[in-house]
Amino acid sequence: MNSEINTDASGRKTVLNTCTEPCAIERGMRLIGGKWTGSIIYHLKDDPVRFNDLCRMLGGASRKMVDQRLKELENNGMVHREVIDTRPIAVEYSLTEFGRSALDILERLRVWSESHSG
């Protein structure tokens, strides 16, 4: 991300070293920046959580939204999905090591957000 903007004698601007693909920050935001994604990761930090319980924890999120985000997180290798063979059948989710690696970032974001709200 060492882009520069040069201005020629006529005042025209050109950008040197433009990003031709998503930069590291954009790639990271695509992993954890989606609506409800960070909250889902945060709620899975301690123990595996069943789908219905996770939906209750995320009071404002629809079941469809939670399901979509969990599928994205699973496809990205951040969440593990396990079907529990009980009656009725339940599904629980837990963080992978890759998913756990985002917790420090989310905790720092939480602290930053709380210290700048007002």
Side-chain angles (χ1 to χ4, degrees):
M1 287 201 327
N2 293 328
S3 297
E4 289 180 37
I5 298 176
N6 282 353
T7 307
D8 65 16
S10 302
R12 291 183 295 242
K13 295 182 179 185
T14 56
V15 179
L16 305 175
N17 301 322
T18 60
C19 293
T20 56
E21 60 184 59
C23 67
I25 292 172
E26 181 61 30
R27 286 192 311 269
M29 291 302 294
R30 289 179 183 183
L31 287 170
I32 64 171
K35 189 170 185 179
W36 298 106
T37 304
S39 295
I40 289 171
I41 293 169
Y42 196 77
H43 284 297
L44 296 176
K45 70 182 179 354
D46 295 323
D47 294 311
V49 178
R50 290 187 177 199
F51 178 79
N52 288 332
D53 292 335
L54 187 58
C55 288
R56 287 182 197 101
M57 291 174 179
L58 301 167
S62 69
R63 295 173 64 81
K64 181 179 177 181
M65 177 66 73
V66 175
D67 184 56
Q68 286 175 343
R69 293 301 174 252
L70 285 166
K71 284 179 182 171
E72 290 170 6
L73 287 165
E74 185 180 10
N75 288 338
N76 290 331
M78 298 185 81
V79 165
H80 173 73
R81 178 182 186 268
E82 185 171 345
V83 177
I84 308 298
D85 192 20
T86 58
R87 296 283 179 232
I89 291 177
V91 178
E92 72 179 16
Y93 295 87
S94 59
L95 291 177
T96 63
E97 284 304 311
F98 180 43
R100 289 197 166 288
S101 68
L103 289 173
D104 182 50
I105 296 163
L106 293 172
E107 178 62 20
R108 286 185 281 153
L109 180 62
R110 182 191 65 76
V111 169
W112 175 82
S113 176
E114 287 177 354
S115 67
H116 291 86
S117 63

